[in-house]
Amino acid sequence: MENHLIKLEEFFSGKGVFITGGTGFLGTGLLEALLGVSPNIGKIYVLVREKRGMTPAERFKKMFAKENFRHHSEETLKKVIPITGDLTSVDFGLAPEILAEIIENVNIIYHSAGLIKFNRPLKMAIELNVVSTLRNIQLAKKLKKLSAFVYVSTALANINIRGQIEEKVYWPGRDPHELIKLAEANLLPISESDPEFTEIVGRHENSYTFSKQVAENLIQKEMGSLPVGIIRPSAVYGSYNHPVEGWSGSASSGHLGYIVAHMKGATRCLYGDRSTVLFAIPCDFFVNGTLVLTCYVGTRPIEKPEVIHITSNHKVNKLTLGDLNDFMNNEVAKNPCNSYLWRPHSKVRKGWRYEFFNYAYILLAILIYIPEKIFRFGPRWMSGFKIVLISYKGAKYFANIADKIERISIDNGQRIMRLVNPEDKHRYAADVAQVDWTELFARSIKWAKTYYYKETGSIGFKHQVIYYTCISIEGILYTLLWYLVYVILMTFTGCPEISSAIGVMIIFFVHWL
């Protein structure tokens, strides 16, 4: 039974699905893949809420018009049933008839929704990441036939662990039900500076990763030997192959924000050391891994939640911060945008150098805001200031994870992926060893340029003129800086050799920055 091959189409045929977080980056990727995994898949219920004055139906109509859903037929898209509900309410606040329909028809639950901000109050994190998990568990126990329950966690859930993080559930130090009661009674500390906050979260240092670890414990405690899987993705980048090469969702949050900001020259730095290992995975590899894990737990006896990491690591297809920086610099130079704040080129920095460049670019964006609107350089629908802020948030993502994780085991995940039916292995690739990082970032840049910035056309003479004009201006500025230093020092020393040499040293220092 253990070595029985995983056949995805066969498993998902006739199965009904319930998803939370189906409109987020990962959830959207998962929803799209489910629509194509089997022509006979049942209804897919997606829990959503009204947003920006749009009803759930309107939100899905807008989403289905985008490039990643266009290849699906109208008939296929009708299988998606958006339902309005609340993540933390009992039975999600669903009407009795909707709840009864879900209990009757759903076999698979994906819980992907939750809070993804690092710095939110602990009460909010417990409610949105732990209470919401409890509501999904309660629903799973009511289903007439539960085939699989998969929780989308994060590779950061156990950053409090020193050494190698294994594919197992770790004890957070506090009982999940106790924390839920404290949240309901409004007895959890509000500020991260509160000593009680540190006492509760320990080495996590933030509410997000702690709450994800607590949620995993709640699942293990409540679901016992039910068919449960926990998947922990690391930093998820654009799709490698499917549904559209480079597809990155909204592309404006977290580390994805760094990419789109870098393309416009709105950032000059990545936080950390060049040697820092970056744990990463393309979006479609995460989605494929999730589908495979679903089949695995749904076709085998499970004694406890099956946990897998879906990521590169220090041994398999290692990616460093220096690699990412160099790949981005090289690929953006090959495929530049039609306009940018300044020539896209960044360095890996930390400490005062990192802060200096971040705040310098925020100041620059403020200074050019009015001229940008008057002369209309850059995208009309997004200001340079907004691009810089997206960059800053992206840099903060790296700041939050850099040096926090030493090593991550991916052995269990790779073992399960090897069980996929040979006919499915290409379409549902999830082995990170197959990823060419240079190609991934090249595809992500091409997608962002076409769909995010809405720029079309081939690279031509105009792009070369803009690019080399920026380089020339940089050279002129360095020359002017050297001359200014030279003139000032000549006033005090009267020695041209010393003045010139010190000027050159200052130029090298500024370039090093």
Side-chain angles (χ1 to χ4, degrees):
M1 187 69 171
E2 171 62 26
N3 294 322
H4 179 70
L5 292 178
I6 294 172
K7 299 179 180 180
L8 283 88
E9 181 178 338
E10 179 182 301
F11 175 79
F12 281 97
S13 180
K15 300 285 198 309
V17 182
F18 177 84
I19 304 178
T20 67
T23 57
F25 175 41
L26 302 185
T28 300
L30 178 60
L31 176 61
E32 187 284 322
L34 284 168
L35 288 170
V37 71
S38 171
N40 298 316
I41 194 169
K43 292 181 180 179
I44 304 174
Y45 299 87
V46 185
L47 186 73
V48 293
R49 55 187 173 84
E50 291 190 10
K51 191 174 183 180
R52 297 190 185 98
M54 298 177 69
T55 65
E58 290 171 335
R59 290 178 66 187
F60 276 87
K61 182 178 180 181
K62 182 179 179 181
M63 184 168 73
F64 289 158
K66 294 187 176 181
E67 68 278 2
N68 51 317
F69 283 97
R70 288 175 189 165
H71 60 287
H72 290 296
S73 68
E74 286 293 327
E75 197 63 31
T76 299
L77 294 175
K78 286 179 181 177
K79 292 184 177 184
V80 178
I81 312 295
I83 52 174
T84 306
D86 179 73
L87 265 179
T88 60
S89 297
V90 175
D91 293 330
F92 303 107
L94 299 175
E97 59 274 16
I98 297 296
L99 180 62
E101 182 180 336
I102 290 172
I103 291 172
E104 180 70 31
N105 297 326
V106 167
N107 311 104
I108 300 167
I109 290 179
Y110 291 107
H111 179 32
S112 177
L115 183 71
I116 58 174
K117 304 292 185 182
F118 281 82
N119 58 350
R120 293 298 185 262
L122 184 57
K123 171 182 166 64
M124 183 185 294
I126 295 298
E127 287 175 343
L128 293 178
N129 289 342
V130 183
V131 176
S132 68
T133 302
L134 177 62
R135 300 303 179 220
N136 278 273
I137 292 170
Q138 291 168 342
L139 176 62
K141 291 180 177 179
K142 292 178 181 179
L143 299 184
K144 284 198 171 181
K145 180 171 175 51
L146 175 67
S147 297
F149 179 103
V150 177
Y151 176 58
V152 180
S153 186
T154 170
L156 302 177
N158 301 290
I159 61 172
N160 60 321
I161 303 300
R162 298 297 177 261
Q164 178 155 293
I165 300 173
E166 303 293 345
E167 291 162 295
K168 67 179 185 179
V169 175
Y170 288 87
W171 171 243
R174 301 294 285 261
D175 180 74
H177 289 288
E178 174 198 353
L179 290 168
I180 291 174
K181 289 179 180 178
L182 289 173
E184 291 173 342
N186 203 26
L187 295 176
L188 291 172
I190 297 174
S191 172
E192 291 184 0
S193 61
D194 190 322
E196 189 181 354
F197 177 88
T198 303
E199 181 183 336
I200 293 174
V201 306
R203 287 180 172 175
H204 281 276
E205 300 176 5
N206 69 84
S207 59
Y208 168 67
T209 60
F210 174 72
S211 63
K212 297 296 277 187
Q213 189 180 65
V214 173
E216 290 187 5
N217 270 265
L218 182 64
I219 291 169
Q220 180 164 271
K221 184 174 183 178
E222 289 290 324
M223 302 199 76
S225 58
L226 291 172
V228 177
I230 296 175
I231 186 165
R232 296 175 182 156
S234 55
V236 183
Y237 288 89
S239 290
Y240 196 63
N241 292 310
H242 188 86
V244 177
E245 290 183 355
W247 177 80
S248 304
S250 67
S252 60
S253 61
H255 47 289
L256 295 172
Y258 163 76
I259 293 178
V260 297
H262 180 97
M263 292 171 63
K264 287 291 183 179
T267 179
R268 306 298 283 182
C269 55
L270 269 173
Y271 179 89
D273 297 305
R274 286 187 61 86
S275 60
T276 298
V277 175
L278 179 62
F279 301 94
I281 194 75
C283 181
D284 52 340
F285 278 50
F286 155 76
V287 169
N288 295 341
T290 303
L291 297 178
V292 171
L293 178 62
T294 306
C295 296
Y296 182 86
V297 301
T299 54
R300 288 158 175 77
I302 301 295
E303 296 180 359
K304 59 182 179 180
E306 197 71 43
V307 182
I308 67 168
H309 288 124
I310 189 85
T311 179
S312 59
N313 66 4
H314 57 292
K315 290 183 179 179
V316 180
N317 207 356
K318 184 170 77 171
L319 175 70
T320 67
L321 218 51
D323 293 333
L324 171 61
N325 183 76
D326 296 343
F327 292 156
M328 287 297 300
N329 285 338
N330 293 336
E331 293 305 320
V332 171
K334 293 177 186 176
N335 192 10
C337 289
N338 294 340
S339 63
Y340 33 77
L341 292 171
W342 196 251
R343 181 175 68 95
H345 188 83
S346 69
K347 292 183 179 181
V348 179
R349 298 178 172 96
K350 66 189 304 184
W352 67 269
R353 296 168 64 213
Y354 162 78
E355 295 295 341
F356 171 80
F357 272 91
N358 269 319
Y359 287 114
Y361 259 70
I362 290 176
L363 177 61
L364 173 63
I366 293 172
L367 292 175
I368 69 169
Y369 182 79
I370 294 178
E372 180 184 34
K373 293 300 180 185
I374 295 174
F375 298 108
R376 294 186 178 278
F377 56 88
R380 296 182 182 183
W381 55 277
M382 178 178 286
S383 68
F385 183 69
K386 184 175 181 181
I387 295 173
V388 169
L389 289 182
I390 289 173
S391 161
Y392 186 71
K393 290 178 181 178
K396 280 295 183 183
Y397 173 85
F398 291 106
N400 278 315
I401 67 172
D403 301 326
K404 295 289 178 65
I405 301 176
E406 296 177 19
R407 295 185 303 280
I408 294 179
S409 172
I410 60 173
D411 294 344
N412 193 41
Q414 289 192 311
R415 175 186 67 83
I416 291 174
M417 299 309 149
R418 284 194 291 268
L419 297 174
V420 175
N421 181 37
E423 296 177 3
D424 290 333
K425 280 195 173 181
H426 177 70
R427 167 59 187 87
Y428 296 100
D431 182 0
V432 72
Q434 299 174 15
V435 177
D436 180 330
W437 295 116
T438 304
E439 188 62 28
L440 172 65
F441 293 117
R443 294 174 183 181
S444 297
I445 289 168
K446 183 178 180 181
W447 176 88
K449 184 179 176 183
T450 304
Y451 294 104
Y452 188 77
Y453 287 120
K454 301 176 175 62
E455 296 182 1
T456 57
S458 58
I459 307 303
F461 181 69
K462 169 190 170 182
H463 297 89
Q464 294 179 337
V465 170
I466 294 174
Y467 186 81
Y468 287 107
T469 297
C470 286
I471 292 178
S472 299
I473 293 173
E474 288 177 12
I476 292 170
L477 290 175
Y478 277 130
T479 302
L480 289 175
L481 177 60
W482 172 85
Y483 183 71
L484 178 63
V485 172
Y486 177 82
V487 170
I488 292 173
L489 290 178
M490 279 293 291
T491 303
F492 293 98
T493 66
C495 179
E497 291 81 5
I498 293 177
S499 301
S500 179
I502 294 177
V504 171
M505 291 172 61
I506 291 176
I507 293 299
F508 275 110
F509 174 75
V510 172
H511 183 71
W512 169 78
L513 281 177

